Amino acid sequence: MMRGDARSYAAARKERAADIDRWLADLFRTACPQPYGRDGRNLPGGAKSGFVSGEERGAGVSLTGPGAPAAGTGAAFAGTGVALVAVGSLGRGELAPGSDLDLVLLHNGQDDVARIADRIWYPIWDSGLGLDHSVRTVDEVTKVAREDLKAVLGLIQARHVTGDPELTRAAREAVLAEWRADSRRRLAELREAADKRAESSGELAFLLEPDLKDSRGGIRDVQAMQAVAAAWVASAPGPRVREAYEFLLDVRHGLHLVTARGADRLVLQEQDAVAAALGLLDAEALMRRLAEAGRTIAHAFDATWRTVDRLLSGPAPRGRRPLRRPGCGPGPR
């Protein structure tokens, strides 16, 4: 990438995610040389396992999180009983140079799933990439999402990488159904977490050394708004917020290039170099644009929570029907 060519950073993130997907698909194929049936046994008669090459990716089923690049899989994957799912920045197609991989190996009860997992995780560790990983059934994923806010925020935007697409679909549908059904409690929990982040990390627009992810008006606030939208309570972030969000991702991308590590805090001594990486005149120009992006996100964040507060202050819904703002998606079926 040429110095100062910030416009290509978004494309570079998507290209890197696609390259990682292809590599993970190869690891998965090596780890699972035999196809599995729905009951966890090998398919009879030498049936095709459903593993596809990079050239074949994009055909068939596409299970994507919001804003993430499609990772299509062929219909022959159905019934294999194992799937590799990306969450976090890889799941969203926003993998910066220093980002870790967040992966979930889904299975339907295979006895040798630990062996399969080891044959995927160890090559990733050997490559030097950071890895946050788990091995779970659909029921276990749903339980974790019900109890762990950080986990559910990642799983809401989970993206199928390779393996059995129906297993990924079942997990995503279960997680989203729980998130919507329990939205009153979960959104209050999400707001509390956002308030604690802001108290700890300050407001991005007014900081000399902002945390690009955790400061108020930062990356996590946009992801929180996306989670509110997934609960059908408020609209998804609009064009101005998406543009501001992409700029924050570009700044973080430039910061990773400058520091050669996965950093989120933009300290004073790195600001001129990051500005140059983004094609901006100097640190002052960078911080001016960063403050504008932070204010845009913070304003939209406040508007989102005014909508949520109006719904939370109303009568509790009967049963476990999710809260839903008109125009935010279909109601529960």
Side-chain angles (χ1 to χ4, degrees), residues 178-190 231 233 308-318 321-323:
E178 285 278 350
W179 178 251
R180 290 162 182 160
D182 201 16
S183 56
R184 182 175 292 268
R185 176 180 70 88
R186 301 316 299 272
L187 292 181
E189 186 181 358
L190 180 62
V233 174
V308 173
D309 289 342
R310 284 196 296 270
L311 291 168
L312 292 180
S313 64
R318 293 182 178 179
R321 290 175 62 85
L323 297 170

Side-chain angles (χ1 to χ4, degrees), residues 197-198 201-205 211 214-218 221 294 298-299 301-302:
R197 266 200 328 272
S201 300
E203 186 154 359
L204 187 145
D211 187 308
D214 286 341
S215 293
R216 172 174 155 78
D221 280 355
H299 178 77
F301 185 80
D302 289 343

Side-chain angles (χ1 to χ4, degrees), residues 4 47 69 117 129 191 220 265 304 329:
L129 289 172
R191 179 59 186 269
R220 290 201 193 279
R265 185 171 295 279
T304 294

Side-chain angles (χ1 to χ4, degrees), residues 22-323:
R22 286 189 286 270
W23 178 49
L24 292 174
D26 287 342
L27 293 178
F28 188 87
R29 183 176 62 248
T30 302
C32 304
Q34 298 296 322
Y36 288 97
R38 290 189 184 279
D39 59 359
R41 296 176 299 180
N42 289 343
L43 294 172
K48 184 178 179 182
S49 68
F51 300 113
V52 295
S53 67
E55 290 74 22
E56 292 172 307
R57 292 172 64 80
V61 179
S62 175
L63 299 170
T64 62
T73 56
F77 271 121
T80 56
V82 191
L84 191 62
V85 179
V87 297
S89 57
L90 179 61
R92 295 186 299 270
E94 298 168 355
L95 201 65
S99 296
D100 293 342
L101 305 186
D102 292 341
L103 298 170
V104 180
L105 185 65
L106 287 174
H107 67 103
N108 63 0
Q110 279 78 2
D111 292 336
D112 62 345
V113 69
R115 177 193 61 82
I116 296 171
D118 285 346
R119 295 182 70 177
I120 298 171
W121 307 150
Y122 275 98
I124 297 174
W125 287 323
D126 290 344
S127 76
L129 289 172
L131 175 63
D132 188 358
H133 61 91
S134 61
V135 180
R136 305 192 192 282
T137 64
V138 172
D139 286 345
E140 288 169 345
V141 162
T142 307
K143 183 176 185 294
V144 168
R146 191 181 301 129
E147 298 172 352
D148 187 322
L149 181 65
K150 181 180 178 181
V152 74
L153 293 178
L155 290 165
I156 284 171
Q157 297 184 310
R159 180 174 59 81
H160 182 74
V161 175
T162 190
D164 188 342
E166 293 306 317
L167 203 59
T168 304
R169 188 190 302 279
R172 287 200 65 210
E173 288 179 352
V175 167
L176 282 167
E178 285 278 350
W179 178 251
R180 290 162 182 160
D182 201 16
S183 56
R184 182 175 292 268
R185 176 180 70 88
R186 301 316 299 272
L187 292 181
E189 186 181 358
L190 180 62
R191 179 59 186 269
E192 182 181 359
D195 289 343
K196 287 181 178 178
R197 266 200 328 272
E199 182 178 352
S200 174
S201 300
E203 186 154 359
L204 187 145
F206 303 111
L207 293 171
L208 293 177
E209 296 185 332
D211 187 308
L212 299 170
K213 289 181 74 171
D214 286 341
S215 293
R216 172 174 155 78
I219 290 170
R220 290 201 193 279
D221 280 355
V222 178
Q223 293 166 0
M225 287 188 277
Q226 292 168 340
V228 172
W232 293 336
V233 174
S235 300
R240 291 190 66 226
V241 174
R242 291 197 299 271
E243 182 180 358
Y245 180 64
E246 284 296 326
F247 181 69
L248 294 188
L249 293 178
D250 286 345
V251 174
R252 184 168 179 258
H253 193 126
L255 180 60
H256 286 195
L257 292 177
V258 166
T259 61
R261 59 187 176 86
D264 295 319
R265 185 171 295 279
L266 182 60
V267 299
L268 287 169
Q269 59 264 36
E270 310 292 357
Q271 291 173 9
D272 277 320
V274 172
L278 271 67
L280 299 173
L281 181 62
D282 54 22
E284 184 179 350
L286 169 65
M287 299 307 289
R288 186 165 53 246
R289 283 200 57 186
L290 199 58
E292 180 182 351
R295 284 192 293 269
T296 296
I297 291 170
H299 178 77
F301 185 80
D302 289 343
T304 294
W305 286 103
R306 283 194 292 272
T307 299
V308 173
D309 289 342
R310 284 196 296 270
L311 291 168
L312 292 180
S313 64
R318 293 182 178 179
R320 288 177 57 83
R321 290 175 62 85
L323 297 170

